[in-house]
Amino acid sequence: MRKKSVLSFLILVLGCTAVFAQTRVQRPYWYTLERGKLHFRNGEYGDALVAFEDARNQRRVMYTRMEEDLIALLSLPEVRRMNNSLELIEPYIVERGYIDAAAALTECYYRFPKESLADNALNALAAIGRYKDFPDAEYWIGETYRVEGELGIALKQYEKAYEQRLLLETPGFDLEILYKIVDVHRLRQEYVAMEERLLEILKRDTLWSEDASSFVRTAMMRTLENDGVNRFLTLYRYSNQDVEPAHRLLGLYYHASGRHNRAVEHLLFAFLIQNTAMVDEIQRNQFDFVFTTLDAFSALITRRPALQAYIEDVEYYKTIYYLGTALNGSGRLPPARELWAFLSRRQAGEWTTRSVAQLRSPFLERAIEMP
């Protein structure tokens, strides 16, 4: 009799699993999200928005149902006497055939290591409840509103996605969301809010945020001032590409607002990270490459289309020019002239023209150009 009941239960579980799997194949929330991305990339923004909102709602319904199934189980008098012990509750679920509660626990164990729940069903219930939020969908809803020009709504969506960042499926995606928030603030000319978010990003920069690293930054600045740009780039490397845009945007913002010392700090870091990335790329194909001078390095870069695209992407020449003007504004004219001289020998458009003018007669530019 015992074997028969267990067999019947297994058949029931398999049958329900098959139905559940079929339902998920038809319209699981993650599939709906991917369908929305396809619409988005094809420029079908109305359909994309509907799909992203459907994906968000589907996930909420799914985890709400699981939450309710666990609550119903834990409310049973005989289960309440088990003091929320998962070790006691699991056999009870199997014996009594509570398939929905079993499915909820299975999903919970998939999302969270079982040992992290400390043998407490209430912890499992709380864990399932958290997954009703879907930050990936919130982000893509924001993307859709952004391309439609609704920056205010897009910003709220990005903020919501960032608040739910612990549930993101892709590691490090929260940084991309932060940069999206920064960009919307920049477009809306909300520069104080932009600065706050950029400084939040730089908390991820160990060379910038840790107190002990201030000695390194002081040494770097001393080398630039006393020994020049070429010596600086020979001695130092820093490859944290994640924070390069934050340093560059903060540097340009501080320059535009007349805070030259702070502008120098951030633009110098952006400049160092940019050059490190290009040195690393060259060494991947030319292992014996050694940096000598910025001019020789630049001649090598011009023969590599991928690095030319990178220069455009990170505003390399603009960074160099404003690093020079910030250095000049903070009373460090010699390294500023060295940077301008380098740009004057390049085909860098307006940055060459402006550098030539600075070399002819250095001046402090009016702080008019925001990032």
Side-chain angles (χ1 to χ4, degrees):
M1 185 67 181
R2 174 71 173 175
K3 290 182 178 179
K4 184 176 179 180
S5 63
V6 171
L7 180 61
S8 300
F9 174 71
L10 289 175
I11 292 173
L12 182 61
V13 169
L14 290 174
C16 291
T17 301
V19 173
F20 181 66
Q22 185 179 13
T23 302
R24 288 180 63 83
V25 167
Q26 289 175 354
R27 289 193 67 180
Y29 67 83
W30 53 264
Y31 176 82
T32 305
L33 181 73
E34 293 303 318
R35 193 183 68 214
K37 292 179 187 179
L38 182 61
H39 285 309
F40 182 88
R41 290 165 185 143
N42 290 335
E44 301 160 351
Y45 301 122
D47 291 336
L49 184 60
V50 170
F52 295 143
E53 290 177 342
D54 282 349
R56 178 180 62 185
N57 294 337
Q58 285 173 322
R59 174 152 157 166
R60 179 167 292 277
V61 167
M62 172 182 166
Y63 282 99
T64 297
R65 184 178 65 249
M66 290 184 175
E67 185 181 45
E68 291 171 349
D69 292 336
L70 279 180
I71 291 173
L73 175 75
L74 297 177
S75 300
L76 296 173
E78 54 269 38
V79 174
R80 291 169 60 186
R81 289 193 290 270
M82 297 177 186
N83 296 320
N84 297 314
S85 170
L86 289 169
E87 295 299 327
L88 297 176
I89 291 172
E90 287 176 10
Y92 177 84
I93 289 175
V94 173
E95 291 174 3
R96 299 300 178 91
Y98 288 106
I99 298 173
D100 293 335
L105 283 180
T106 299
E107 178 69 17
C108 183
Y109 296 157
Y110 171 75
R111 297 290 181 181
F112 297 88
K114 184 176 178 180
E115 57 272 16
S116 70
L117 302 174
D119 190 33
N120 192 321
L122 293 180
N123 291 338
L125 178 63
I128 284 292
R130 287 200 295 273
Y131 266 87
K132 288 186 289 187
D133 292 329
F134 195 8
D136 302 78
E138 304 293 359
Y139 168 82
W140 281 102
I141 291 171
E143 284 285 89
T144 307
Y145 277 113
R146 175 182 172 135
V147 298
E148 294 285 5
E150 298 287 349
L151 294 182
I153 301 176
L155 180 60
K156 291 179 181 178
Q157 287 300 131
Y158 292 146
E159 294 279 7
K160 186 181 296 185
Y162 187 67
E163 289 171 2
Q164 300 170 5
R165 60 188 177 277
L166 293 179
L167 302 180
L168 288 167
E169 300 287 344
T170 306
F173 190 59
D174 59 322
L175 181 64
E176 182 172 341
I177 296 173
L178 265 181
Y179 273 119
K180 292 287 186 177
I181 293 171
V182 164
D183 202 38
V184 172
H185 283 310
R186 182 182 62 82
L187 291 172
R188 287 159 58 99
Q189 300 183 0
E190 298 165 348
Y191 294 115
V192 173
M194 180 195 75
E195 178 188 10
E196 290 175 354
R197 288 303 194 175
L198 287 171
L199 291 173
E200 184 174 349
I201 291 173
L202 290 187
K203 292 177 182 178
R204 304 164 185 245
D205 186 348
T206 55
L207 190 56
W208 183 263
S209 60
E210 294 180 1
D211 293 337
S213 63
S214 62
F215 173 80
V216 177
R217 299 202 300 270
T218 301
M220 289 167 57
M221 183 58 65
R222 188 180 299 115
T223 299
L224 180 67
E225 289 187 68
N226 297 337
D227 303 313
V229 175
N230 290 327
R231 182 62 175 167
F232 170 78
L233 290 176
T234 300
L235 289 179
Y236 297 105
R237 293 285 180 272
Y238 191 44
S239 58
N240 191 345
Q241 283 289 309
D242 287 343
V243 298
E244 184 278 329
H247 281 298
R248 173 162 38 96
L249 289 171
L250 273 174
L252 294 173
Y253 171 59
Y254 289 142
H255 176 276
S257 54
R259 289 171 278 183
H260 298 299
N261 283 318
R262 298 191 70 178
V264 167
E265 292 177 336
H266 291 287
L267 290 172
L268 185 62
F269 260 58
F271 176 61
L272 177 59
I273 294 170
Q274 291 169 2
N275 282 282
T276 298
M278 291 189 285
V279 168
D280 289 345
E281 178 61 27
I282 291 173
Q283 287 180 336
R284 272 189 277 272
N285 300 293
Q286 186 180 333
F287 68 90
D288 59 344
F289 170 76
V290 176
F291 180 90
T292 54
T293 67
L294 198 52
D295 281 298
F297 183 54
S298 182
L300 188 60
I301 290 171
T302 57
R303 299 197 294 269
R304 297 173 181 261
L307 293 184
Q308 284 295 303
Y310 178 76
I311 282 175
E312 293 293 327
D313 186 51
V314 299
E315 303 177 301
Y316 182 63
Y317 296 130
K318 179 179 180 179
T319 302
I320 293 174
Y321 177 77
Y322 281 117
L323 175 56
T325 58
L327 285 164
N328 181 37
S330 62
R332 304 177 178 98
L333 184 57
R337 294 185 65 90
E338 194 175 355
L339 291 170
W340 292 330
F342 165 73
L343 288 175
S344 72
R345 297 187 291 270
R346 306 266 73 75
Q347 293 182 350
E350 66 172 301
W351 310 114
T352 296
T353 304
R354 295 167 79 166
S355 294
V356 170
Q358 288 282 9
L359 288 170
R360 188 181 302 117
S361 179
F363 58 93
L364 294 177
E365 290 195 355
R366 290 181 59 194
I368 56 175
E369 185 170 347
M370 286 291 181

